[in-house]
Amino acid sequence: MKKLLIITFILLVVVSNSFSQSKNKYQKFQDEQGVIFYHKYSHSNFLSKKSPLRLILKIENTNPYPVKVNFIVDYYWKAMISANSEKPRTCCIKANNTIKGRFHKLHFAPFEFTNEQILSDDFFVELSGIEITKVDSCVKSKK
């Protein structure tokens, strides 16, 4: 029983340590009409450091009203656009609120690039076609 407790404690320390690494913090990279965009890269399989990296966005609405945001993610390699997310993404963000990650479909997998390319200085991401529209509320329509 004592060994089980020790192993569980060690496992919890290792797992919590892997989530608190500073390299996994969001970085601000674009600001439009009171909407701030942040990004970070994360492995698609968090248990495998060799798994492909994916882009994860966090969008913060600093306006006192809800907004609908449309955008396309563009991937640049050596200052030339190399790929994009093709379909525009649309999301609604309540007033003074933040959305992020997979739950809100704000994750993108640029599989055209290796992890080394994504982490190099020659690779960067921009958002294009940004449209920010004031809306009355963020109510999902039933389909």
Side-chain angles (χ1 to χ4, degrees):
M1 183 67 172
K2 196 174 198 180
K3 286 183 181 181
L4 181 62
L5 286 174
I6 292 172
I7 291 172
T8 304
F9 176 76
I10 291 172
L11 185 63
L12 286 173
V13 169
V14 169
V15 169
S16 68
N17 198 18
S18 68
F19 285 116
S20 65
Q21 293 177 357
S22 62
K23 69 178 181 177
N24 286 332
K25 292 191 178 181
Y26 286 98
Q27 297 176 346
K28 180 179 174 180
F29 79 107
Q30 232 166 315
D31 191 343
E32 297 275 334
Q33 300 174 20
V35 177
I36 305 170
F37 297 89
Y38 301 87
H39 79 288
K40 73 176 182 175
Y41 293 100
S42 171
H43 289 279
S44 51
N45 179 354
F46 78 96
L47 295 176
S48 171
K49 299 296 180 191
K50 293 181 180 180
S51 65
L53 289 171
R54 64 180 173 188
L55 172 71
I56 301 176
L57 296 181
K58 175 171 104 172
I59 306 174
E60 178 182 2
N61 179 11
T62 61
N63 295 306
Y65 50 83
V67 294
K68 183 173 105 176
V69 180
N70 294 319
F71 61 91
I72 295 175
V73 178
D74 294 324
Y75 306 106
Y76 288 84
W77 177 251
K78 296 187 178 181
M80 302 272 301
I81 189 165
S82 297
N84 62 28
S85 61
E86 296 176 7
K87 296 181 191 175
R89 293 289 171 108
T90 301
C91 53
C92 191
I93 310 168
K94 295 177 183 176
N96 299 309
N97 207 342
T98 301
I99 62 171
K100 62 182 173 181
R102 195 171 190 140
F103 181 72
H104 295 283
K105 296 185 177 152
L106 295 175
H107 60 102
F108 304 86
F111 291 128
E112 301 88 16
F113 303 98
T114 65
N115 289 355
E116 292 78 24
Q117 287 175 317
I118 290 172
L119 296 174
S120 80
D121 291 336
D122 292 329
F123 180 85
F124 65 96
V125 173
E126 280 188 356
L127 301 180
S128 64
I130 298 174
E131 295 176 7
I132 299 171
T133 310
K134 181 180 178 179
V135 293
D136 292 332
S137 66
C138 289
V139 178
K140 291 188 178 190
S141 61
K142 295 180 181 179
K143 293 183 180 179

Short mmCIF file of all heavy atoms in Angstrom, two decimals, residues 112-138:
data_model
loop_
_atom_site.label_atom_id
_atom_site.label_comp_id
_atom_site.label_asym_id
_atom_site.label_seq_id
_atom_site.Cartn_x
_atom_site.Cartn_y
_atom_site.Cartn_z
N GLU A 112 1.65 19.85 -42.96
CA GLU A 112 2.56 20.03 -44.10
C GLU A 112 3.98 20.32 -43.61
O GLU A 112 4.93 20.24 -44.39
CB GLU A 112 2.11 21.20 -44.98
CG GLU A 112 0.73 21.09 -45.56
CD GLU A 112 -0.35 21.64 -44.63
OE1 GLU A 112 -0.04 22.37 -43.67
OE2 GLU A 112 -1.52 21.29 -44.84
N PHE A 113 4.10 20.68 -42.34
CA PHE A 113 5.39 21.08 -41.78
C PHE A 113 5.83 20.12 -40.70
O PHE A 113 5.02 19.58 -39.97
CB PHE A 113 5.28 22.50 -41.19
CG PHE A 113 4.82 23.52 -42.19
CD1 PHE A 113 3.49 23.90 -42.24
CD2 PHE A 113 5.72 24.08 -43.08
CE1 PHE A 113 3.05 24.84 -43.15
CE2 PHE A 113 5.29 25.02 -44.00
CZ PHE A 113 3.96 25.40 -44.04
N THR A 114 7.14 19.95 -40.59
CA THR A 114 7.69 19.13 -39.51
C THR A 114 7.73 19.95 -38.23
O THR A 114 7.64 21.18 -38.27
CB THR A 114 9.11 18.65 -39.85
OG1 THR A 114 9.97 19.79 -39.92
CG2 THR A 114 9.15 17.89 -41.17
N ASN A 115 7.92 19.28 -37.11
CA ASN A 115 8.03 19.99 -35.83
C ASN A 115 9.23 20.94 -35.84
O ASN A 115 9.16 22.04 -35.30
CB ASN A 115 8.16 18.99 -34.68
CG ASN A 115 6.86 18.26 -34.42
OD1 ASN A 115 5.84 18.54 -35.02
ND2 ASN A 115 6.91 17.31 -33.51
N GLU A 116 10.31 20.53 -36.47
CA GLU A 116 11.50 21.38 -36.54
C GLU A 116 11.20 22.65 -37.34
O GLU A 116 11.65 23.74 -36.98
CB GLU A 116 12.68 20.62 -37.16
CG GLU A 116 13.22 19.49 -36.30
CD GLU A 116 12.34 18.22 -36.34
OE1 GLU A 116 11.59 18.01 -37.32
OE2 GLU A 116 12.40 17.46 -35.36
N GLN A 117 10.46 22.51 -38.44
CA GLN A 117 10.11 23.69 -39.23
C GLN A 117 9.21 24.62 -38.44
O GLN A 117 9.41 25.84 -38.45
CB GLN A 117 9.40 23.27 -40.52
CG GLN A 117 10.30 22.65 -41.56
CD GLN A 117 9.52 22.14 -42.76
OE1 GLN A 117 8.46 21.53 -42.61
NE2 GLN A 117 10.05 22.40 -43.95
N ILE A 118 8.22 24.08 -37.75
CA ILE A 118 7.28 24.90 -36.99
C ILE A 118 8.00 25.68 -35.90
O ILE A 118 7.69 26.84 -35.64
CB ILE A 118 6.16 24.02 -36.39
CG1 ILE A 118 5.26 23.51 -37.51
CG2 ILE A 118 5.35 24.78 -35.35
CD1 ILE A 118 4.23 22.48 -37.08
N LEU A 119 8.99 25.08 -35.27
CA LEU A 119 9.72 25.74 -34.18
C LEU A 119 10.84 26.65 -34.67
O LEU A 119 11.43 27.37 -33.87
CB LEU A 119 10.27 24.69 -33.21
CG LEU A 119 9.20 23.88 -32.48
CD1 LEU A 119 9.85 22.78 -31.65
CD2 LEU A 119 8.31 24.76 -31.63
N SER A 120 11.12 26.65 -35.96
CA SER A 120 12.21 27.49 -36.48
C SER A 120 11.76 28.94 -36.64
O SER A 120 10.56 29.25 -36.64
CB SER A 120 12.70 26.95 -37.83
OG SER A 120 11.83 27.35 -38.86
N ASP A 121 12.72 29.82 -36.80
CA ASP A 121 12.43 31.25 -37.00
C ASP A 121 11.86 31.53 -38.38
O ASP A 121 11.33 32.62 -38.62
CB ASP A 121 13.69 32.08 -36.78
CG ASP A 121 14.13 32.08 -35.33
OD1 ASP A 121 13.27 31.85 -34.45
OD2 ASP A 121 15.33 32.30 -35.07
N ASP A 122 11.97 30.59 -39.31
CA ASP A 122 11.47 30.77 -40.67
C ASP A 122 9.96 30.53 -40.78
O ASP A 122 9.36 30.79 -41.81
CB ASP A 122 12.19 29.83 -41.64
CG ASP A 122 13.65 30.20 -41.83
OD1 ASP A 122 13.96 31.41 -41.74
OD2 ASP A 122 14.46 29.29 -42.05
N PHE A 123 9.35 30.00 -39.74
CA PHE A 123 7.92 29.67 -39.76
C PHE A 123 7.17 30.65 -38.87
O PHE A 123 7.58 30.94 -37.76
CB PHE A 123 7.71 28.24 -39.25
CG PHE A 123 6.28 27.80 -39.24
CD1 PHE A 123 5.70 27.27 -40.37
CD2 PHE A 123 5.50 27.91 -38.09
CE1 PHE A 123 4.36 26.86 -40.38
CE2 PHE A 123 4.18 27.50 -38.08
CZ PHE A 123 3.61 26.98 -39.23
N PHE A 124 6.06 31.18 -39.37
CA PHE A 124 5.19 31.98 -38.51
C PHE A 124 3.75 31.88 -39.01
O PHE A 124 3.49 31.44 -40.12
CB PHE A 124 5.66 33.43 -38.38
CG PHE A 124 5.63 34.24 -39.65
CD1 PHE A 124 4.55 35.04 -39.94
CD2 PHE A 124 6.70 34.20 -40.53
CE1 PHE A 124 4.52 35.79 -41.11
CE2 PHE A 124 6.68 34.95 -41.69
CZ PHE A 124 5.59 35.75 -41.99
N VAL A 125 2.85 32.32 -38.17
CA VAL A 125 1.42 32.21 -38.41
C VAL A 125 0.80 33.60 -38.34
O VAL A 125 1.20 34.41 -37.51
CB VAL A 125 0.76 31.30 -37.35
CG1 VAL A 125 -0.74 31.30 -37.47
CG2 VAL A 125 1.30 29.90 -37.44
N GLU A 126 -0.15 33.85 -39.24
CA GLU A 126 -0.94 35.08 -39.19
C GLU A 126 -2.39 34.73 -39.44
O GLU A 126 -2.69 33.71 -40.05
CB GLU A 126 -0.46 36.09 -40.23
CG GLU A 126 0.76 36.85 -39.84
CD GLU A 126 1.08 37.98 -40.82
OE1 GLU A 126 0.37 38.11 -41.85
OE2 GLU A 126 2.03 38.71 -40.56
N LEU A 127 -3.27 35.61 -39.00
CA LEU A 127 -4.69 35.44 -39.30
C LEU A 127 -5.06 36.44 -40.38
O LEU A 127 -4.64 37.59 -40.35
CB LEU A 127 -5.52 35.71 -38.05
CG LEU A 127 -5.24 34.82 -36.85
CD1 LEU A 127 -6.14 35.18 -35.68
CD2 LEU A 127 -5.40 33.36 -37.20
N SER A 128 -5.83 35.97 -41.36
CA SER A 128 -6.28 36.86 -42.43
C SER A 128 -7.79 36.81 -42.51
O SER A 128 -8.43 35.94 -41.92
CB SER A 128 -5.66 36.45 -43.76
OG SER A 128 -6.10 35.16 -44.14
N GLY A 129 -8.35 37.75 -43.25
CA GLY A 129 -9.80 37.79 -43.41
C GLY A 129 -10.55 37.96 -42.11
O GLY A 129 -11.67 37.48 -41.97
N ILE A 130 -9.93 38.66 -41.17
CA ILE A 130 -10.56 38.83 -39.86
C ILE A 130 -11.77 39.76 -40.00
O ILE A 130 -11.65 40.87 -40.50
CB ILE A 130 -9.58 39.39 -38.82
CG1 ILE A 130 -8.42 38.44 -38.60
CG2 ILE A 130 -10.28 39.69 -37.50
CD1 ILE A 130 -7.33 38.98 -37.71
N GLU A 131 -12.91 39.27 -39.57
CA GLU A 131 -14.14 40.07 -39.52
C GLU A 131 -14.70 39.98 -38.11
O GLU A 131 -14.95 38.89 -37.61
CB GLU A 131 -15.17 39.54 -40.51
CG GLU A 131 -14.77 39.66 -41.96
CD GLU A 131 -15.80 39.04 -42.89
OE1 GLU A 131 -16.88 38.62 -42.43
OE2 GLU A 131 -15.49 38.95 -44.09
N ILE A 132 -14.87 41.12 -37.49
CA ILE A 132 -15.42 41.16 -36.13
C ILE A 132 -16.74 41.93 -36.19
O ILE A 132 -16.77 43.07 -36.61
CB ILE A 132 -14.42 41.82 -35.16
CG1 ILE A 132 -13.14 40.99 -35.13
CG2 ILE A 132 -15.03 41.96 -33.78
CD1 ILE A 132 -12.01 41.62 -34.41
N THR A 133 -17.80 41.26 -35.78
CA THR A 133 -19.14 41.83 -35.86
C THR A 133 -19.79 41.82 -34.48
O THR A 133 -19.79 40.80 -33.80
CB THR A 133 -20.02 40.98 -36.82
OG1 THR A 133 -19.32 40.78 -38.04
CG2 THR A 133 -21.33 41.67 -37.09
N LYS A 134 -20.35 42.96 -34.10
CA LYS A 134 -21.09 43.05 -32.84
C LYS A 134 -22.39 42.28 -33.00
O LYS A 134 -23.08 42.41 -34.00
CB LYS A 134 -21.37 44.51 -32.51
CG LYS A 134 -22.11 44.73 -31.22
CD LYS A 134 -22.33 46.22 -30.99
CE LYS A 134 -23.11 46.46 -29.72
NZ LYS A 134 -23.32 47.90 -29.47
N VAL A 135 -22.71 41.43 -32.01
CA VAL A 135 -23.96 40.65 -32.04
C VAL A 135 -24.72 40.88 -30.73
O VAL A 135 -24.16 41.36 -29.75
CB VAL A 135 -23.68 39.14 -32.26
CG1 VAL A 135 -23.11 38.88 -33.63
CG2 VAL A 135 -22.78 38.58 -31.18
N ASP A 136 -25.99 40.51 -30.75
CA ASP A 136 -26.82 40.67 -29.55
C ASP A 136 -26.48 39.65 -28.47
O ASP A 136 -26.46 39.96 -27.30
CB ASP A 136 -28.30 40.57 -29.90
CG ASP A 136 -28.75 41.75 -30.77
OD1 ASP A 136 -28.16 42.83 -30.66
OD2 ASP A 136 -29.70 41.56 -31.55
N SER A 137 -26.25 38.40 -28.90
CA SER A 137 -25.91 37.35 -27.94
C SER A 137 -25.23 36.20 -28.67
O SER A 137 -25.25 36.11 -29.89
CB SER A 137 -27.16 36.84 -27.22
OG SER A 137 -28.01 36.19 -28.14
N CYS A 138 -24.64 35.33 -27.90
CA CYS A 138 -23.95 34.15 -28.44
C CYS A 138 -24.77 32.90 -28.14
O CYS A 138 -24.38 32.07 -27.34
CB CYS A 138 -22.55 34.02 -27.83
SG CYS A 138 -21.39 35.25 -28.40
#
